[in-house]
C-alpha cells in the first residue's frame, strides 16, 4: 500500500500521462500496465516524466510486450537494429543512441520497481545495454575514421581495431542504474595506418577515435547522454595517454603497475571492439593481476587500501552513503577481492569478476563460513537494490539516503517497507553486519605486537640479536642466554650466515623489512625446543631458499598459526624441511590445520585432484604436471605432518602414500589417454571375443603393488594392452594400434618423471616388465600371459606376488588378475623353488653388502625386511596351488594372516613376523623423515633378527 502522499503523487502523474497520450492519439488504460503503474510512478520521476513526455515510446513498450518480457542475451542488439532500420536517415548517432537508451532504461526501471525483475536481471540488462551502445557507436565511428584517415594496420598489413576494456561494475556485468562506465582503451600495435590515400600514426588514429566515442556518449544534449565514461583507471591515470598499444600497456603493468591497479583489473572484461585481440591482451596481463602463487606479499598494500577506505568512511559526509560509507557496497567487494588477489593465481575459479560468485566460491572452498556468506550475500542484494531504487527516482548518480522525509518514505516503500523507521533499522542492521566482517579481514595476527603497538622485552631483545645494531657478539650472547637459549655462539653464527647470504643481501627494501620483522618471531618460537640450534639451522635453510619470493615471508608474518606449524614441522623432520625448501608453495598448507594433520582418503583425493585439474588448460602439459606435483607434495606433507605428530599408525601411513600415488597415476593416465586419442584417434582393442573400452592397464609391483609405499619410494610399473592389428580411428594422423600404446606408455612415464618448477612426480622403475630393459615398454596381455607361463624366472613370480592393477581398462585388469592367479598357483618342485629363492636372496645380500659390522641394515641384512618378504613370497609360490586364498592379497601383513588361516604357518610365527615387519617399516619411515639411511646400531633389533633368521631356516631347510 502506498502512503497518502505517494498515492496523490501517483494519481497526478497518471492523469498527466493519460492527457499526454490523448494528444498523441493514444488512449492508455490503467489495466494496460498489469497493476504496476501507480507503484512505478510513485517511485520514479524519471519513468513518469519520460513516459509522459514520450507517450509513443511507452506505447511501443506495451505493444511489443517488451515491458513485460525478460530479454535474452541478444535482444538488446536486435532492438537497436530495429530502431536503426526504422529511422528516417536524418537522426544522428548521438540522437539515435539517446533515444534507444531512454526506451530501455524506462523498461529496466519499470520492471525493477514493479518487482518483475530480480537484481541479477537488472544489473545484467544495464550492462548489456551499455555494451550494445558501445559496440554500435564504435563500429560507426571506426568506419568513418577509416574513410577520413586510412585504415590502421599491423606489421603484416592486417587491419587493426580498437579494444574497449570494461572495468568496475560494467566489467563484472553488475552495472547500477545511473552508473558511469569505467573504460580502458587499447590497440594492438604502433605502426602507421595507410590505405593509400591518407595516413596517420595508429596512436593518433585511435586517440581521436576514443575522444570522439567519449563525446558521443557523454556530452549533454537536449536528449541527455548515453552513459558517462570514466577513463581514469587507465595506465598513468588522467595524466596518461587516452589509449595505448598492447606492448605499451603490458610494459607499464610489468614495470610500474601498482597493487590498486591489480585490484581494479580483477573485473576487466572486453566489452566492445576487437574481442579476440582484447582477450589475448587480458590473458597476457593475467600474470600481473593473478600471481601463480599464494600472494601474501600483497597484504601490506591491501591493508593500506583498507585503511584509506576506513578513513574515508569515517567522514561525516559518508554517514548515509550506501556505497562508500560504513558497511557499504565497497566493503563487500573489497572483502571478496582480497581473496581474489591472494589466491586467484593458483585457483582460477577465483578470477571471476562477479562478487556474488566469489563469495559463494569462498564459502564452498571453506575460506569463509556459511554465516559470512549468508550475511554478505543478503547485504549485497539489499544494498544494490537500494542503490538502484535511489537512482531510478530521477536518474541521478547518488548513493546517499535522502534526508527529505518524503523521498526517504518513497525509498522505503520501493524497498517493500511500509514506513521509514523499519527500513532504516534494516539498512542499519545490514550495514553493521558487513562492517563487522570487513573489520575481520587483514587483521594482523602478528603476536609480536601488543594491542598498544609495543614490543615485549623478549621480542625487543631478539630484534637486537637479529639486526646488525652494532652490539658486540658477547653482548648478544648474553642476551640469548638471558632469554633462555643454550649454544648462543652457534646460534649467532647461523644468524650471521643468513644475514650474509647472497639472497638476503639482494633483497628489496620491502623484502628486507619483512625478513627483519619475521626473524625475531621465529626465534621466539624456538626458545623452548629441546635443540633450538637444529631448529634454527633447518629454518634458515628454508628461508635462504624462499626469501627471494618475499610473499612467503609475508605469509609467515601474517599468520601466527602458520609460523607455529612451520617451526614445529621443520624441527620434527628434515625431510619436511627439505620439501618446504624445494617447494615453497607447500607453505600454504601450514595455514589449514584441519587438513594438515588429517590426510584425506582416496575418494577425497580423487575429488581434490579432479577439481584442480579441471581448472588447468588442457594444452599446457608442463603446467598440468606442475599442478600434479604440487598436489602430490601437499598430500605427502599432510601425511608426514600427521606421522611426526603421532596421529597416524604405520599401516595408515603407507596406505595414504599409496593412495596418493594411485590417484596421481589415474589422473596421469587420463590426461595421456585424452591427448593420444585427440591426436591419433582411438585404438581398437579386444580380449577374446569381447571388445575393450580402452585396452590399456597399469600394473603396480613392489611397494606400490603391496600397498607399502614409503616417503622416498619409487614406483615399479608394468604396462599391458589388448590392441589388435590395425590402425587407430583418427581422421588426421592414425597410427598402428601397438604403436599407439607404446607412445601412450612413453607419455605416462614422461609425465611421471618430468622436471618442473615444482619438481617431479615419481621415479619410475620399469625393469620388472617381461624381458626387463630389453623387453617392449608395453606388453600385449597375451604375450604377458605366455611369458609368465613359459619364460618367467622364479624371482619374477616372486615379484608377481606383490603385483596388482592400479588403473586402466577394467577388462584388461581382470585379465591380468587371471594371468597372475594361474602363474602363481602352478605346482612347483619344493626343492628347486627353495634353492632358487634362497639363491636370489643371497645374491641380493651380496649386492647390498653391509660393510659396517656395528650397524644393522634394516632392509637388506640377515633377519631384516627382505628376509620376511622373501619368506612370504616363497610360501605363497609353494602353497597357492593348494590354497588359492593366498593370492587374494598383495601386502605381506595380510598374506601372513592368510598363512595362519590356511595352517601353513603357526599363529606365533606369523604374529611375530607381522609385528617385526611393522616395527622395521615404522623405523624406516621415521628414519626417512629424518633423511637418514635405513640403518641402526647393530644391537637395536638383535632379538628380532635372531628370531627372523630362525624362522627363515625352519621353512627354507625343512624340505
Amino acid at each position: 500500500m502506498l502512503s497518502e502522499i505517494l498515492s496523490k503523487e501517483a494519481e497526478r502523474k497518471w492523469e498527466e500521462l493519460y492527457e499526454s497520450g490523448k494528444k498523441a492519439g493514444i488512449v492508455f488504460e490503467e489495466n494496460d500496465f498489469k497493476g504496476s503503474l501507480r507503484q512505478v510512478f510513485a517511485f520514479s520521476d524519471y519513468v513518469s516524466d519520460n513516459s509522459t513526455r514520450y507517450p509513443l515510446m511507452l506505447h511501443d513498450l506495451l505493444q511489443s510486450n517488451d515491458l513485460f518480457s525478460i530479454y535474452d542475451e541478444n535482444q538488446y542488439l536486435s532492438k537497436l537494429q530495429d530502431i536503426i532500420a526504422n529511422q528516417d536517415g536524418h537522426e544522428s548517432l548521438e540522437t539515435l543512441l539517446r533515444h534507444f537508451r531512454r526506451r530501455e532504461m524506462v523498461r529496466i526501471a519499470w520492471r525493477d520497481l514493479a518487482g518483475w525483475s530480480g537484481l541479477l536481471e537488472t544489473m545484467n540488462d544495464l550492462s548489456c545495454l551499455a555494451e550494445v551502445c558501445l559496440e554500435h557507436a564504435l563500429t560507426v565511428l571506426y568506419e568513418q575514421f577509416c574513410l577520413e584517415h586510412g585504415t590502421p594496420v599491423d606489421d603484416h598489413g592486417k587491419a587493426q581495431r580498437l579494444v574497449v576494456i570494461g572495468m568496475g561494475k560494467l566489467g563484472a556485468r553488475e552495472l547500477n542504474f545511473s552508473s558511469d562506465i569505467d573504460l580502458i582503451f587499447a590497440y594492438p600495435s604502433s605502426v602507421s595506418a595507410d590505405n593509400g590515400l591518407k595516413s596517420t600514426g595508429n596512436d593518433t588514429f585511435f586517440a581521436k577515435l576514443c575522444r570522439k566515442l567519449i563525446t558521443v556518449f557523454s556530452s549533454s544534449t537536449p536528449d541527455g547522454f548515453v552513459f558517462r565514461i570514466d577513463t581514469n583507471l587507465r595506465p598513468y591515470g588522467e595524466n596518461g595517454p587516452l589509449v595505448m598499444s598492447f606492448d605499451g600497456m603490458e610494459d607499464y603493468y610489468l614495470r610500474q603497475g601498482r597493487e590498486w591497479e591489480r585490484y581494479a583489473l580483477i573485473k576487466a572484461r572486453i566489452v566492445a571492439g576487437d574481442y579476440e585481440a582484447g582477450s589475448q591482451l587480458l590473458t597476457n596481463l593475467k600474470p600481473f593481476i593473478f600471481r601463480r602463487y599464494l600472494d601474501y606479499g600483497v597484504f601490506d598494500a591491501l591493508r593500506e587500501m583498507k585503511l584509506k577506505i576506513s578513513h574515508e568512511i569515517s567522514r561525516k559526509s559518508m554517514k548515509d552513503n550506501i556505497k562508500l560509507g560504513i558497511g557499504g557496497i565497497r566493503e563487500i567487494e573489497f572483502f571478496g577481492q582480497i581473496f581474489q588477489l591472494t589466491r586467484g593465481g593458483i585457483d582460477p575459479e577465483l578470477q571471476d569478476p562477479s562478487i556474488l560468485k566469489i563469495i559463494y566460491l569462498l564459502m564452498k572452498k571453506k575460506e569463509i563460513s556459511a554465516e559470512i556468506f549468508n550475511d554478505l550475500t543478503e547485504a549485497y542484494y539489499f544494498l544494490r537494490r537500494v542503490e538502484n531504487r535511489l537512482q531510478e527516482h530521477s536518474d541521478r548518480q547518488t548513493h546517499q539516503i535522502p534526508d527529505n522525509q518524503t523521498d526517504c518514505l518513497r525509498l522505503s516503500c520501493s524497498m517493500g517497507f511500509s514506513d521509514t523507521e523499519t527500513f532504516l533499522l534494516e539498512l542499519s542492521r545490514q550495514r553493521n553486519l558487513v562492517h563487522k566482517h570487513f573489520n575481520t579481514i587483514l587483521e594482523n595476527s602478528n603476536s609480536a605486537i601488543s594491542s598498544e603497538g609495543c614490543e615485549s622485552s623478549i621480542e625487543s631483545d631478539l630484534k637486537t640479536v637479529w639486526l646488525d645494531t652494532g652490539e658486540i657478539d658477547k653482548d648478544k650472547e648474553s642476551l640469548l642466554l638471558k632469554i633462555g637459549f643454550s649454544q648462543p655462539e652457534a646460534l649467532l653464527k647461523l644468524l650471521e650466515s643468513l644475514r650474509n647470504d647472497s639472497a638476503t643481501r639482494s633483497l628489496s627494501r620491502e623484502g628486507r623489512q619483512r625478513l627483519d620483522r619475521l626473524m625475531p618471531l621465529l626465534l621466539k618460537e624456538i626458545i623452548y625446543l629441546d635443540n633450538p640450534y637444529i631448529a634454527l639451522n633447518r629454518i634458515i635453510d628454508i628461508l635462504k631458499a624462499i626469501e627471494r619470493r618475499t610473499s612467503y615471508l609475508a605469509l609467515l608474518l601474517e599468520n601466527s598459526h602458520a609460523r607455529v606449524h612451520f617451526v614445529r614441522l621443520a624441527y620434527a623432520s628434515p625431510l619436511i624441511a627439505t620439501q618446504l625448501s624445494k617447494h615453497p608453495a607447500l607453505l600454504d598448507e601450514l595455514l589449514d590445520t584441519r587438513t594438515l594433520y588429517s590426510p584425506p582418503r582416496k575418494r577425497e583425493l580423487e575429488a581434490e585432484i579432479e577439481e584442480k585439474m579441471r581448472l588447468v588448460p588442457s594444452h599446457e602439459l608442463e603446467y598440468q604436471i606442475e599442478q600434479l606435483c604440487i598436489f602430490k607434495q601437499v598430500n605427502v606433507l599432510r601425511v608426514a605432518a600427521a606421522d611426526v605428530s603421532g596421529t597416524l599408525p604405520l599401516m595408515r601411513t603407507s596406505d595414504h602414500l599409496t593412495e596418493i600415488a594411485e590417484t596421481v597415476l589415474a589422473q596421469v593416465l587420463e590426461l595421456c589417454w585424452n591427448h593420444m586419442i585427440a591426436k591419433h584417434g582411438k585404438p581398437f582393442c579386444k580380449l577374446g571375443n569381447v571388445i575393450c573400452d580402452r585396452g590399456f592397464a597399469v600394473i603396480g609391483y613392489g611397494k606400490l603393488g603391496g600397498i607399502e609405499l614409503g616417503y622416498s619410494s619409487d614406483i615399479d610399473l608394468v604396462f599391458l594392452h589388448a590392441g589388435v592389428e590395425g590402425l587407430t580411428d583418427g581422421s588426421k594422423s592414425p597410427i598402428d594400434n601397438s604403436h599407439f600404446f607404446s607412445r601412450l606408455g612413453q607419455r605416462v612415464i614422461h609425465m611421471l618423471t618430468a622436471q618442473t618448477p615444482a619438481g617431479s612426480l615419481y621415479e619410475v622403475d620399469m625393469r620388472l616388465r617381461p624381458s626387463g630393459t630389453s623387453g617392449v615398454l608395453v606388453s600385449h596381455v597375451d604375450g604377458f600371459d605366455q611369458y609368465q607361463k613359459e619364460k618367467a624366472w622364479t624371482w619374477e613370480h616372486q615379484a608377481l606376488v606383490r603385483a596388482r592393477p592400479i588403473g586402466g581398462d577394467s577388462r584388461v585388469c581382470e585379465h591380468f588378475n587371471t594371468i597372475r592367479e594361474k602363474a602363481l598357483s602352478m605346482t612347483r618342485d619344493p626343492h628347486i623353488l627353495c634353492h632358487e629363492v634362497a639363491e636370489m636372496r643371497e645374491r641380493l645380500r651380496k649386492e647390498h653388502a653391509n660393510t659396517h659390522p656395528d650397524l644393522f641394515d634394516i632392509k637388506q641384512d640377515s633377519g631384516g625386511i627382505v628376509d620376511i618378504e622373501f619368506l612370504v613370497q616363497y610360501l605363497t609360490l609353494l602353497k597357492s596351488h593348494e590354497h588359492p586364498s593366498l593370492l587374494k592379497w598383495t601386502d605381506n601383513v595380510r598374506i601372513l594372516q592368510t598363512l595362519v588361516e590356511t595352517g601353513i604357518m603357526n599363529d606365533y610365527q606369523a604374529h611375530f613376523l607381522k609385528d617385526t615387519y611393522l616395527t622395521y617399516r615404522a623405523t624406516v619411515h621415521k628414519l626417512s623423515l629424518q633423511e637418514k639411511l635405513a640403518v641402526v646400531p647393530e644391537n637395536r633389533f638383535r632379538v628380532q633378527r635372531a628370531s627372523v633368521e630362525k624362522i627363515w631356516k625352519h621353512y627354507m631347510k625343512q624340505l
Side-chain angles (χ1 to χ4, degrees):
M1 288 287 293
L2 296 175
S3 66
E4 184 179 352
I5 189 171
L6 294 179
S7 293
K8 287 182 178 179
E9 200 173 293
E11 177 64 26
R12 174 182 57 80
K13 291 178 177 179
W14 159 235
E15 290 174 358
E16 291 174 355
L17 172 65
Y18 185 81
E19 292 301 320
S20 173
K22 280 175 61 178
K23 291 177 182 177
I26 303 167
V27 177
F28 289 116
E29 299 291 344
E30 194 169 346
N31 60 9
D32 292 342
F33 303 97
K34 298 184 179 179
S36 65
L37 185 135
R38 290 178 183 270
Q39 178 175 312
V40 172
F41 275 21
F43 298 154
S44 175
D45 287 350
Y46 173 77
V47 172
S48 61
D49 289 349
N50 279 286
S51 298
T52 301
R53 188 176 177 186
Y54 303 103
L56 290 174
M57 173 199 72
L58 182 60
H59 182 67
D60 179 51
L61 285 170
L62 291 170
Q63 292 298 110
S64 63
N65 208 42
D66 287 349
L67 191 64
F68 311 110
S69 303
I70 297 173
Y71 280 5
D72 63 33
E73 59 183 16
N74 298 315
Q75 213 140 353
Y76 279 104
L77 177 59
S78 65
K79 294 297 176 185
L80 179 57
Q81 289 171 339
D82 288 345
I83 290 176
I84 294 169
N86 293 327
Q87 67 170 323
D88 57 13
H90 299 294
E91 202 169 54
S92 67
L93 175 64
E94 289 89 336
T95 303
L96 182 145
L97 290 176
R98 281 157 177 77
H99 288 181
F100 177 58
R101 187 248 190 201
R102 180 193 305 126
R103 178 188 192 273
E104 299 307 325
M105 291 290 273
V106 166
R107 171 191 168 274
I108 292 168
W110 196 302
R111 289 181 55 75
D112 183 49
L113 292 167
W116 297 338
S117 66
L119 175 66
L120 298 182
E121 180 189 328
T122 300
M123 294 191 302
N124 188 64
D125 276 359
L126 291 164
S127 303
C128 288
L129 174 61
E131 287 181 59
V132 167
C133 290
L134 278 169
E135 183 63 42
H136 177 70
L138 184 57
T139 300
V140 171
L141 294 174
Y142 177 78
E143 291 174 356
Q144 291 176 358
F145 271 56
C146 287
L147 290 174
E148 294 174 15
H149 305 289
T151 301
V153 296
D154 60 17
D155 292 329
H156 304 290
K158 182 181 177 182
Q160 293 192 69
R161 295 178 60 209
L162 186 69
V163 170
V164 183
I165 305 170
M167 306 288 285
K169 288 187 170 62
L170 176 60
R173 293 189 174 90
E174 297 166 347
L175 213 58
N176 49 281
F177 192 77
S178 299
S179 179
D180 292 351
I181 54 175
D182 296 293
L183 303 179
I184 293 178
F185 300 116
Y187 61 94
S189 62
S190 299
V191 294
S192 293
D194 191 351
N195 69 351
L197 299 174
K198 303 172 182 179
S199 66
T200 185
N202 282 358
D203 52 352
T204 303
F205 177 97
F206 286 115
K208 288 181 177 180
L209 178 62
C210 292
R211 280 194 287 270
K212 182 62 176 176
L213 180 66
I214 292 170
T215 300
V216 166
F217 259 64
S218 300
S219 60
S220 184
T221 73
D223 291 305
F225 56 87
V226 186
F227 286 93
R228 290 176 293 264
I229 292 177
D230 189 330
T231 61
N232 286 336
L233 292 178
R234 69 186 187 270
Y236 304 104
E238 61 182 8
N239 297 317
L242 187 59
V243 60
M244 292 180 70
S245 68
F246 287 5
D247 286 345
M249 190 168 285
E250 290 176 36
D251 183 70
Y252 168 82
Y253 287 120
L254 176 67
R255 298 176 183 275
Q256 302 182 51
R258 290 157 289 182
E259 297 301 340
W260 72 262
E261 289 176 298
R262 291 179 59 201
Y263 182 87
L265 283 166
I266 287 173
K267 292 182 179 291
R269 182 173 62 90
I270 307 304
V271 294
D274 191 333
Y275 282 83
E276 184 178 349
S279 296
Q280 186 59 51
L281 172 63
L282 292 185
T283 298
N284 295 344
L285 293 179
K286 271 195 176 178
F288 165 70
I289 309 167
F290 302 106
R291 311 276 163 78
R292 270 195 177 180
Y293 51 85
L294 285 149
D295 190 8
Y296 292 94
V298 76
F299 274 176
D300 284 340
L302 289 171
R303 199 173 277 118
E304 191 176 317
M305 290 168 63
K306 181 186 174 187
L307 190 61
K308 287 180 179 178
I309 292 172
S310 298
H311 285 162
E312 186 173 341
I313 64 179
S314 65
R315 299 205 320 256
K316 187 177 180 181
S317 61
M318 292 295 168
K319 176 177 176 291
D320 294 321
N321 191 302
I322 60 159
K323 177 182 178 182
L324 306 177
I326 289 175
I329 297 165
R330 182 170 60 175
E331 290 189 2
I332 301 174
E333 293 175 333
F334 188 78
F335 187 100
Q337 286 176 285
I338 280 176
F339 288 92
Q340 291 184 272
L341 281 188
T342 55
R343 295 179 171 272
I346 64 163
D347 189 347
E349 273 193 314
L350 292 177
Q351 295 176 13
D352 196 290
S354 167
I355 188 62
L356 288 173
K357 288 183 183 177
I358 292 302
I359 295 171
Y360 169 73
L361 285 170
L362 291 175
M363 184 269 292
K364 181 183 172 186
K365 296 170 186 289
K366 295 181 169 54
E367 298 290 347
I368 62 174
S369 67
E371 178 193 4
I372 294 175
F373 163 74
N374 290 329
D375 287 348
L376 293 182
T377 301
E378 183 184 352
Y380 185 80
Y381 273 94
F382 187 84
L383 293 172
R384 290 304 306 271
R385 287 177 64 233
V386 172
E387 177 184 42
N388 279 331
R389 301 293 161 85
L390 272 172
Q391 296 177 359
E392 285 163 352
H393 176 245
S394 55
D395 194 17
R396 189 167 62 89
Q397 192 177 31
T398 179
H399 294 90
Q400 290 290 128
I401 300 299
D403 51 13
N404 176 284
Q405 188 175 357
T406 301
D407 288 341
C408 197
L409 177 62
R410 187 194 327 276
L411 175 63
S412 303
C413 291
S414 73
M415 287 295 294
F417 293 86
S418 59
D419 60 85
T420 299
E421 183 180 2
T422 308
F423 165 69
L424 292 177
L425 281 173
E426 179 60 16
L427 176 63
S428 178
R429 186 185 76 84
Q430 296 280 6
R431 293 177 64 179
N432 286 338
L433 282 173
V434 170
H435 195 58
K436 180 185 79 171
H437 298 312
F438 174 77
N439 281 336
T440 64
I441 54 175
L442 296 177
E443 286 181 338
N444 194 337
S445 57
N446 186 344
S447 59
I449 306 299
S450 70
S451 58
E452 291 80 21
C454 301
E455 294 174 335
S456 70
S457 60
I458 288 179
E459 287 136 12
S460 179
D461 289 343
L462 291 174
K463 186 175 180 181
T464 300
V465 169
W466 162 247
L467 295 175
D468 192 7
T469 58
E471 296 279 339
I472 61 175
D473 284 348
K474 288 297 179 186
D475 292 335
K476 291 182 177 179
E477 286 179 25
S478 298
L479 277 175
L480 288 173
L481 285 169
K482 182 186 79 171
I483 292 166
F485 284 104
S486 58
Q487 299 178 277
E489 185 179 354
L491 290 173
L492 287 174
K493 285 182 179 177
L494 287 177
L495 294 173
E496 187 65 21
S497 75
L498 178 59
R499 270 196 298 268
N500 292 327
D501 187 72
S502 59
T504 306
R505 289 183 174 277
S506 62
L507 283 174
S508 64
R509 183 174 63 86
E510 181 184 46
R512 184 57 195 244
Q513 287 174 348
R514 286 177 182 165
L515 182 63
D516 288 345
R517 288 164 53 206
L518 176 62
M519 284 309 299
L521 304 180
L522 293 175
L523 287 169
K524 186 181 177 186
E525 295 291 345
I526 69 171
I527 291 174
Y528 302 110
L529 296 177
D530 292 337
N531 195 325
Y533 176 82
I534 289 178
L536 184 60
N537 193 25
R538 291 175 185 168
I539 287 168
I540 285 177
D541 284 344
I542 298 172
L543 291 176
K544 286 178 180 178
I546 69 172
E547 62 183 336
R548 288 183 188 274
R549 185 71 62 80
T550 59
S551 63
Y552 293 126
L553 302 181
L555 181 156
L556 295 170
L557 269 173
E558 296 295 337
N559 194 296
S560 60
H561 295 295
R563 232 173 14 248
V564 169
H565 298 300
F566 171 70
V567 170
R568 179 188 298 173
L569 293 174
Y571 180 58
S573 168
L575 174 69
I576 294 176
T578 299
Q579 288 300 303
L580 292 174
S581 298
K582 289 181 178 177
H583 313 295
L586 300 179
L587 285 168
D588 183 56
E589 285 303 303
L590 298 174
L591 291 174
D592 193 350
T593 54
R594 295 170 303 174
T595 56
L596 179 59
Y597 298 104
S598 302
R601 293 309 309 266
K602 182 78 174 287
R603 188 171 295 177
E604 297 170 286
L605 288 169
E606 290 170 342
E608 181 183 337
I609 201 169
E610 284 176 14
E611 179 68 11
K612 181 181 284 287
M613 299 311 295
R614 183 177 66 81
L615 302 172
V616 179
S618 59
H619 62 279
E620 293 191 24
L621 175 62
E622 184 176 343
Y623 191 36
Q624 287 176 335
I625 302 173
E626 185 179 343
Q627 291 304 302
L628 288 171
C629 287
I630 293 172
F631 168 84
K632 178 215 170 183
Q633 291 150 6
V634 161
N635 283 291
V636 170
L637 175 66
R638 290 169 176 167
V639 175
D643 198 353
V644 299
S645 69
T647 61
L648 206 60
L650 165 70
M651 291 290 285
R652 296 300 314 125
T653 299
S654 288
D655 284 355
H656 279 297
L657 293 172
T658 302
E659 287 172 356
I660 292 167
E662 290 172 347
T663 305
V664 168
L665 272 166
Q667 192 62 223
V668 166
L669 182 55
E670 185 69 17
L671 292 169
C672 292
W673 174 265
N674 291 337
H675 169 82
M676 289 295 296
I677 62 170
K679 190 173 183 180
H680 302 294
K682 195 173 179 180
F684 184 72
C685 305
K686 200 173 183 182
L687 277 174
N689 295 320
V690 180
I691 296 174
C692 301
D693 178 34
R694 294 193 174 185
F696 184 86
V698 177
I699 312 300
Y701 276 67
K703 288 185 171 60
L704 175 61
I707 319 174
E708 296 169 349
L709 278 184
Y711 290 106
S712 55
S713 299
D714 58 8
I715 53 176
D716 296 285
L717 301 178
V718 167
F719 298 146
L720 300 178
H721 78 89
V724 299
E725 289 186 8
L727 299 177
T728 59
D729 64 3
S731 58
K732 293 184 179 178
S733 55
I735 57 174
D736 183 78
N737 287 330
S738 61
H739 194 190
F740 174 95
F741 287 115
S742 177
R743 286 193 184 179
L744 176 60
Q746 290 168 355
R747 191 170 181 87
V748 169
I749 294 172
H750 170 71
M751 284 198 75
L752 291 170
T753 59
Q755 286 293 329
T756 74
S760 61
L761 286 167
Y762 289 97
E763 290 294 322
V764 177
D765 192 335
M766 300 290 296
R767 289 176 296 177
L768 291 176
R769 68 185 188 268
S771 302
T773 55
S774 62
V776 294
L777 184 65
V778 185
S779 302
H780 193 283
V781 286
D782 292 342
F784 181 81
D785 187 11
Q786 185 178 7
Y787 182 87
Q788 295 299 330
K789 289 176 183 175
E790 301 173 4
K791 299 181 180 180
W793 296 80
T794 297
W795 67 265
E796 291 179 288
H797 283 171
Q798 284 182 248
L800 199 60
V801 170
R802 297 213 290 175
R804 66 189 175 91
I806 302 299
D809 190 294
S810 60
R811 294 189 181 278
V812 179
C813 291
E814 290 170 7
H815 200 63
F816 165 80
N817 285 332
T818 302
I819 294 170
R820 175 178 177 270
E821 288 174 13
K822 288 180 180 178
L824 296 182
S825 59
M826 291 188 296
T827 303
R828 291 173 168 83
D829 184 299
H831 295 284
I832 294 175
L833 177 63
C834 181
H835 172 74
E836 289 179 343
V837 172
E839 185 178 51
M840 176 55 69
R841 177 68 191 101
E842 188 59 30
R843 179 180 168 185
L844 278 178
R845 189 177 289 117
K846 288 179 180 178
E847 286 179 0
H848 300 89
N850 181 7
T851 58
H852 301 281
D854 57 335
L855 296 175
F856 169 48
D857 185 326
I858 301 173
K859 294 180 180 179
Q860 296 293 343
D861 277 353
S862 178
I865 286 176
V866 176
D867 275 1
I868 298 174
E869 291 175 342
F870 266 53
L871 182 58
V872 169
Q873 292 161 13
Y874 163 70
L875 292 173
T876 301
L877 293 177
L878 180 67
K879 297 292 185 178
S880 57
H881 69 284
E882 300 175 18
H883 302 285
S885 59
L886 286 169
L887 304 180
K888 182 178 180 181
W889 308 109
T890 59
D891 62 287
N892 287 293
V893 171
R894 282 184 286 199
I895 296 176
L896 280 167
Q897 182 60 37
T898 309
L899 288 170
V900 174
E901 294 168 358
T902 53
I904 298 169
M905 183 177 285
N906 68 51
D907 187 68
Y908 169 78
Q909 290 172 327
H911 183 76
F912 173 80
L913 287 176
K914 183 176 76 171
D915 280 356
T916 301
Y917 185 69
L918 291 175
T919 301
Y920 284 164
R921 282 178 54 204
T923 305
V924 172
H925 279 314
K926 286 183 170 63
L927 290 169
S928 293
L929 287 170
Q930 298 302 317
E931 293 190 324
K932 293 180 180 179
L933 297 174
V935 294
V936 294
E938 186 274 336
N939 61 356
R940 172 85 178 271
F941 294 116
R942 190 174 289 168
V943 174
Q944 289 94 327
R945 290 179 65 189
S947 296
V948 171
E949 289 170 353
K950 184 178 178 180
I951 296 171
W952 169 272
K953 289 175 183 177
H954 170 75
Y955 284 98
M956 298 299 288
K957 293 188 176 180
Q958 68 175 352
L959 302 169

